Amino acid sequence: MGNSVLPMQNEIITVSQPTRDDNERVSIFQWNVLAMELAHGEWSQAKDRKEKLLAKIDEIHADVICLQELDNYFSFWRPQLKKIGYNVAKYEMRTTSNVSVHSNILRHDGTGIFYNHKKFSLLAACSFRFHDGSDRLFVITGLQSLTTNKIFQVASTHLYYKSNEEAYRVRQLEFISQEMHNFRDLLWELTQEKQHTYEVVYPSNLAKAEVDRTAFLRQIKVCCNIPMFLSGDFNSVPRDGKSLVYHFMEHNFSKFAEYEVRGPRDSRSELKNEQKGIAEMKSAYKINGKIESVPTSYNSRRKNGKLLDYIWYTLPTARVLSVMKISKTTYKEMQQSPSDHLPLFATFELLNVDQVEKHISSYLPNTTYSKKSDATPESMGNKVANFDADQVMIKDDDNSVV
């Protein structure tokens, strides 16, 4: 593998300037580090691959690190990352008898999230499995700044690999979306006191119910307070934003209204009508409206390279300040790298609640009703309850469930 660590320059591209000096800033590093059971060619012969991977991680020294295909976790990664200032937020290893098609060896890799323990504390973490043929999974963690107390959520995943299974990857993302929203509710409840009880009108498939403040705060207050980030190897190219996965992430992943998630084994093969929402996901590398196109992965099956890796974040809770430039390379040059994927790195500004609420207010109608309203789902039609402080605001939602 020579002396080169990566066939790329570590050029940082400034995307925007901070809106406030006192807003929390978070940097996220994303990398599929290539499991040894999957390594082939030059990668399988390298004896110091893990050390070079670690050297790059230490060089960038992001606040949060998201890694996929992570093997040798207990013997190498956990102790070595600890030495350079990172605690594990969550790591989960594959558990099925999945055998690598390259080495015919049982796979023992997994997905992990690590954080700078001098800047953040860990609030909660969990993992979920899709139970598909390759035992794909994703992990979620909630972190809190030690200086500003700002809470945010980071998830990481490695989606199904077959190129003709785009619809299946969308179903995996539907499941991730639902669980990330549930987890965001949990983070809010961990940090807030339950207060008054209100009557709330939910979508027409749910009955009118008495719910406490924390239950409905997931609609606006939770959205305003807790940014969400999702990174990983999505095994899907953008296709100018027209791929099912990219389209789903931008238009359907993070929505104001809850919607039914049928799970990864659902039989649907295409996206249905979109829902409108006040929150939306955006790729950190979509700069000035231009969808990213530079490949992030090269190997013997994709010698011309494919863009498969992403860092997504929720608008309007965060803004991209800078990203590490991804330079186009070649398969030959890539074999000098310790992985067949290039790393991504982005720095974000986490916006203050009043900045987010100002943005959200443009979505809200003037119609309001207060506590103990006589309104019912039948009298109001299919409407979604939006909440702000002690008032409940109503917004029409005529779109179908995705």
Side-chain angles (χ1 to χ4, degrees):
M1 293 178 62
N3 296 321
S4 174
V5 174
L6 284 173
M8 62 180 292
Q9 297 178 348
N10 295 335
E11 179 183 350
I12 300 298
I13 301 173
T14 299
V15 177
S16 62
Q17 297 298 324
T19 59
R20 292 182 183 177
D21 292 336
D22 60 343
N23 278 350
E24 184 69 40
R25 301 181 192 182
V26 174
S27 57
I28 296 178
F29 184 86
Q30 152 62 33
W31 206 359
N32 179 327
V33 294
L34 182 59
M36 182 54 68
E37 290 87 355
L38 289 177
H40 54 95
E42 287 286 329
W43 292 291
S44 65
Q45 303 302 316
K47 303 300 182 183
D48 59 349
R49 214 164 51 80
K50 296 192 301 294
E51 288 73 17
K52 288 189 174 183
L53 291 164
L54 181 67
K56 171 54 62 178
I57 291 170
D58 191 22
E59 177 187 346
I60 300 298
H61 216 81
D63 295 327
V64 182
I65 302 169
C66 301
L67 304 176
Q68 301 83 44
E69 294 192 18
L70 190 65
D71 51 14
N72 297 294
Y73 169 71
F74 292 102
S75 62
F76 181 83
W77 285 106
R78 184 171 181 173
Q80 293 302 317
L81 287 171
K82 182 74 172 180
K83 288 181 181 179
I84 61 175
Y86 292 99
N87 283 355
V88 57
K90 185 65 178 177
Y91 170 78
E92 194 70 28
M93 188 175 72
R94 298 172 191 242
T95 59
T96 66
S97 57
N98 183 256
V99 176
S100 168
V101 297
H102 300 290
S103 63
N104 202 35
I105 298 174
L106 188 66
R107 295 186 61 169
H108 296 289
D109 61 287
T111 298
I113 299 177
F114 307 83
Y115 66 98
N116 184 337
H117 64 83
K118 293 183 179 179
K119 294 187 65 175
F120 307 102
S121 62
L122 178 64
L123 294 178
C126 59
S127 61
F128 299 87
R129 298 181 182 279
F130 298 120
H131 298 292
D132 58 25
S134 58
D135 193 26
R136 303 284 165 160
L137 53 85
F138 69 99
V139 295
I140 313 176
T141 183
L143 299 172
Q144 185 170 30
S145 169
L146 295 177
T147 54
T148 66
N149 292 321
K150 184 68 175 179
I151 301 168
F152 60 99
Q153 177 185 173
V154 181
S156 184
T157 190
H158 189 181
L159 299 183
Y160 197 63
Y161 70 99
K162 289 187 177 180
S163 59
N164 62 344
E165 293 287 354
E166 188 79 346
Y168 183 78
R169 283 186 284 276
V170 170
R171 293 194 290 275
Q172 289 181 319
L173 287 170
E174 286 180 334
F175 183 60
I176 293 174
S177 172
Q178 183 66 79
E179 294 305 332
M180 287 188 71
H181 282 79
N182 291 341
F183 191 80
R184 190 168 62 176
D185 293 349
L186 170 65
L187 292 178
W188 180 264
E189 292 179 5
L190 286 174
T191 57
Q192 301 293 319
E193 291 184 0
K194 293 186 178 182
Q195 299 182 29
H196 307 292
T197 298
Y198 299 79
E199 285 193 346
V200 179
V201 178
Y202 278 104
S204 57
N205 61 316
L206 298 177
K208 188 175 86 169
E210 286 280 335
V211 293
D212 59 36
R213 186 181 177 99
T214 54
F216 70 70
L217 276 172
R218 79 177 109 155
Q219 297 291 327
I220 281 187
K221 286 297 182 183
V222 177
C223 176
C224 291
N225 281 276
I226 305 178
M228 296 196 304
F229 299 91
L230 173 62
S231 76
D233 177 353
F234 281 52
N235 273 313
S236 176
V237 298
R239 295 191 179 92
D240 296 323
K242 298 177 182 178
S243 75
L244 289 178
V245 164
Y246 203 96
H247 185 274
F248 178 84
M249 288 302 301
E250 282 202 320
H251 301 285
N252 299 87
F253 186 89
S254 181
K255 291 302 156 191
F256 186 72
E258 289 190 353
Y259 52 87
E260 180 184 0
V261 175
R262 301 181 177 105
R265 295 191 179 278
D266 184 83
S267 60
R268 287 173 301 161
S269 60
E270 61 182 18
L271 290 178
K272 296 186 178 181
N273 294 335
E274 300 172 14
Q275 275 192 308
K276 294 181 179 179
I278 60 169
E280 58 188 75
M281 295 294 275
K282 183 179 179 182
S283 169
Y285 279 80
K286 182 178 180 180
I287 301 173
N288 296 325
K290 184 178 180 180
I291 295 174
E292 60 268 50
S293 59
V294 180
T296 60
S297 180
Y298 301 77
N299 58 35
S300 60
R301 304 187 310 280
R302 41 180 180 264
K303 292 186 176 181
N304 292 325
K306 287 186 177 181
L307 197 166
L308 304 176
D309 307 274
Y310 303 87
I311 301 175
W312 295 89
Y313 67 100
T314 46
L315 288 172
T317 59
R319 297 174 69 249
V320 180
L321 298 180
S322 63
V323 297
M324 183 171 67
K325 182 179 179 181
I326 303 299
S327 300
K328 188 173 177 60
T329 184
T330 65
Y331 171 57
K332 183 177 180 180
E333 291 175 335
M334 194 67 180
Q335 292 181 77
Q336 302 303 311
S337 164
S339 173
D340 59 352
H341 287 252
L342 293 171
L344 308 183
F345 173 66
T347 301
F348 300 89
E349 175 188 20
L350 307 188
L351 298 187
N352 194 282
V353 174
D354 67 306
Q355 293 176 288
V356 179
E357 288 182 337
K358 182 178 180 181
H359 174 89
I360 288 177
S361 66
S362 64
Y363 288 81
L364 301 178
N366 294 324
T367 305
T368 67
Y369 73 93
S370 58
K371 290 179 284 187
K372 299 300 180 182
S373 167
D374 292 328
T376 66
E378 291 74 19
S379 66
M380 303 194 68
N382 185 21
K383 296 176 182 290
V384 177
N386 302 342
F387 307 103
D388 188 16
D390 287 347
Q391 287 189 325
V392 181
M393 301 183 131
I394 302 303
K395 178 184 178 184
D396 286 322
D397 183 16
D398 297 326
N399 293 290
S400 302
V401 172
V402 293

